[in-house]
Amino acid sequence: MRQMFQIKMPQEVICGEYAIEKLKDKAHGHRKAVIFTDKGVAQAGLVEEPDRLLREGGCETEIFDDIPAEPACEQVQQITDRFLRSGADLIVAVGGGSVMDTAKLASLAAEGETVKDYINRPLLGKKRVKTIMIPTTAGTGSEATPNSIVLVPEQELKVGIVNPEMIADTVILDGTMIRNLPEKIAAATGIDALAHAIECFTSNKANEFSDMYAMAALKLIFKYLVDACKNKENIEAKNRMLLAAFYGGVAITASGTTAVHALSYPLGGKYHIAHGVSNAMLLVPVMRFNKDVCGKELAEIYDAVGGKTAQTQEGKADWVIAKLEEMVRELGIPASLKEFGVGREDLEELVEAGMKVTRLLDNNKKTVTADDARALYLEIM
Ligand SMILES: NC(=O)c1ccc[n+]([C@@H]2O[C@H](COP(=O)([O-])OP(=O)(O)OC[C@H]3O[C@@H](n4cnc5c(N)ncnc54)[C@H](O)[C@@H]3O)[C@@H](O)[C@H]2O)c1
Ligand SMILES: [Zn+2]
């Protein structure tokens, strides 16, 4: 055994086109469900069907359709309070990571406990109601993880609350939910899934179990990501990306992300750059930085995703990194912080904030010093 691991996973995963129909059975025995979602997902017409199915299953419903993107602690608190007042005994999250993370925290809601308490004492909360996660982006893998990420505005940082009590009871992966995902969102969230898989595979916490999921995700993402984003008709590619994102979430749970996610947190926290976009910018610079200690893993990825021409470990690692660069470029994700008005004057604050994300920096095989972080941020300025 290379490395010990301990993992809790969702109790049940239902996967396939129209898997959503199973929601009707899941309503049985529940009095009332609150559907967590957001305006974008609701406008995409993705809430009516889950709502109808829950009602047909005998469950009253209420819809919270105002979950903010990448929510701040106070916003989650307000939603959690509203959920407590709803008297519901089931949460159904229909949305991306922002919706699912909020729903996961609400499932812990109890009088006298706050989201701030959960930040300070992550294991304090206990699950009070069952949760069903239906992702509508193929990205975060939040449907698989015990993590919830919230913005703490006073610190201008996003923090991860990790508590196994937040693991979903049921996950429904239905490709029809991402069929009309706008290309830009599909691209950024897909690169997030890619980052999860490759970071977990090259992480200090990587183990046999996480490797299996990370590698399965990588094979799917290398093959299907670009097509899933660019080709509206390619339902197969979209279905595969939904599965890949879930695998990426399982990999996070058993292993852990590294310096890409660590240095990306301040970009979300202070400059509100979307999670997938900030990861996309840092992915290639960090993998290049890590290459000398992760060459073996990168070469294994090369072999698994069907690389053919490279002979040496270094050649294989270079091919993988070049491929990452190509995917980010092809998907048209902004490559520079300039596009977000972030410049050299912000560098020191970024370095300071990034270096605080020790939870993830510690997973990076190569030690990241403040000078390294500075050089990495400079690369994307
Ligand atoms: N808990 C975890 O394990 C974990 C892992 C990674 C990221 N995250 C967090 O997840 C959040 C990001 O989630 P995300 O990347 O999924 O984006 P998101 O949930 O913020 O959604 C982005 C936008 O896409 C829209 N959208 C979502 N699905 C759609 C669809 N099918 N059709 C049309 N529009 C749709 C939403 O309305 C929203 O405007 C961040 O806060 C990030 O930190 C959590
Ligand atoms: Zn992520």
Side-chain angles (χ1 to χ4, degrees):
M1 281 287 256
R2 237 173 56 220
Q3 165 91 279
M4 184 188 146
F5 64 89
Q6 180 175 7
I7 179 157
K8 283 196 178 159
M9 288 174 62
Q11 287 229 326
E12 178 182 34
V13 181
I14 309 172
C15 177
E17 257 183 283
Y18 306 107
I20 187 85
E21 283 162 15
K22 298 277 179 197
L23 196 55
K24 189 170 161 181
D25 304 337
K26 298 286 133 201
H28 290 319
H30 290 285
R31 222 175 33 249
K32 178 175 176 182
V34 170
I35 299 179
F36 282 59
T37 191
D38 65 25
K39 297 277 184 244
V41 175
Q43 272 159 20
L46 296 172
V47 182
E48 285 88 348
E49 198 182 3
D51 186 42
R52 176 181 58 79
L53 288 162
L54 287 164
R55 286 169 187 274
E56 282 176 10
C59 193
E60 189 194 328
T61 59
E62 184 175 348
I63 299 173
F64 290 2
D65 67 357
D66 56 352
I67 313 296
E70 316 217 359
C73 179
E74 268 313 305
Q75 294 171 312
V76 179
Q77 186 63 55
Q78 281 170 16
I79 292 157
T80 300
D81 291 344
R82 203 190 323 152
F83 177 71
L84 261 185
R85 292 193 300 269
S86 75
D89 60 351
L90 177 65
I91 288 180
V92 178
V94 183
S98 301
V99 166
M100 291 190 282
D101 283 7
T102 306
K104 284 155 85 174
L105 283 165
S107 73
L108 309 179
E111 294 294 346
E113 290 178 10
T114 65
V115 177
K116 274 229 165 75
D117 294 336
Y118 300 146
I119 293 176
N120 298 328
R121 290 174 57 200
L123 297 177
L124 171 72
K126 295 280 168 275
K127 183 178 276 194
R128 314 283 169 169
V129 296
K130 289 217 162 169
T131 53
I132 301 177
M133 300 284 144
I134 308 174
T136 66
T137 60
T140 68
S142 173
E143 66 278 13
T145 72
N147 307 9
S148 180
I149 318 288
V150 292
L151 171 71
V152 181
E154 328 57 289
Q155 295 173 25
E156 295 185 318
L157 197 63
K158 294 185 76 176
V159 295
I161 304 170
V162 185
N163 180 350
E165 295 279 325
M166 289 195 285
I167 291 177
D169 294 286
T170 298
V171 174
I172 299 181
L173 303 174
D174 182 338
T176 58
M177 304 304 277
I178 62 162
R179 192 166 281 174
N180 298 315
L181 189 62
E183 184 179 329
K184 261 191 169 169
I185 301 174
T189 54
I191 293 282
D192 187 29
L194 169 58
H196 295 159
I198 201 160
E199 287 178 75
C200 287
F201 195 74
T202 54
S203 169
N204 268 332
K205 284 199 187 146
N207 54 70
E208 267 93 346
F209 189 90
S210 62
D211 281 358
M212 191 169 69
Y213 281 91
M215 194 58 107
L218 285 165
K219 283 187 197 168
L220 292 172
I221 295 168
F222 270 66
K223 188 161 177 198
Y224 293 110
L225 170 62
V226 174
D227 226 28
C229 296
K230 295 210 163 272
N231 184 351
K232 264 199 153 342
E233 306 309 318
N234 196 339
I235 306 298
E236 176 67 4
K238 291 175 199 278
N239 289 343
R240 297 301 177 115
M241 276 306 299
L242 204 53
L243 199 56
F246 173 73
Y247 289 165
V250 177
I252 292 181
T253 311
S255 172
T257 54
T258 61
V260 178
H261 269 69
L263 298 181
S264 148
Y265 273 165
L267 297 174
K270 190 165 161 60
Y271 303 103
H272 307 288
I273 302 173
H275 179 74
V277 173
S278 54
N279 285 328
M281 281 193 268
L282 284 159
L283 182 62
V284 170
V286 170
M287 287 301 142
R288 237 187 247 128
F289 169 80
N290 279 345
K291 192 183 91 173
D292 52 345
V293 294
C294 300
K296 182 174 146 291
E297 291 82 359
L298 293 172
E300 279 178 53
I301 295 171
Y302 171 92
D303 291 333
V305 301
K308 294 220 163 46
T309 46
Q311 299 298 326
T312 61
Q313 181 173 298
E314 186 169 14
K316 291 179 177 185
D318 286 338
W319 182 92
V320 170
I321 294 170
K323 203 80 188 155
L324 300 178
E325 206 165 9
E326 188 184 306
M327 282 190 263
V328 175
R329 197 177 42 239
E330 253 188 279
L331 293 174
I333 301 170
S336 162
L337 286 173
K338 278 196 200 78
E339 301 191 28
F340 300 93
V342 183
R344 292 237 175 170
E345 64 284 7
D346 304 299
L347 183 60
E348 288 315 308
E349 266 184 32
L350 274 175
V351 172
E352 198 187 320
M355 290 307 290
K356 282 191 191 146
V357 191
T358 50
R359 176 175 78 88
L360 304 182
L361 282 177
D362 288 349
N363 296 343
N364 205 67
K365 275 205 176 134
K366 186 167 171 180
T367 305
V368 180
T369 65
D371 281 343
D372 297 328
R374 191 173 294 110
L376 287 163
Y377 282 129
L378 266 173
E379 262 195 69
I380 58 169
M381 277 182 172

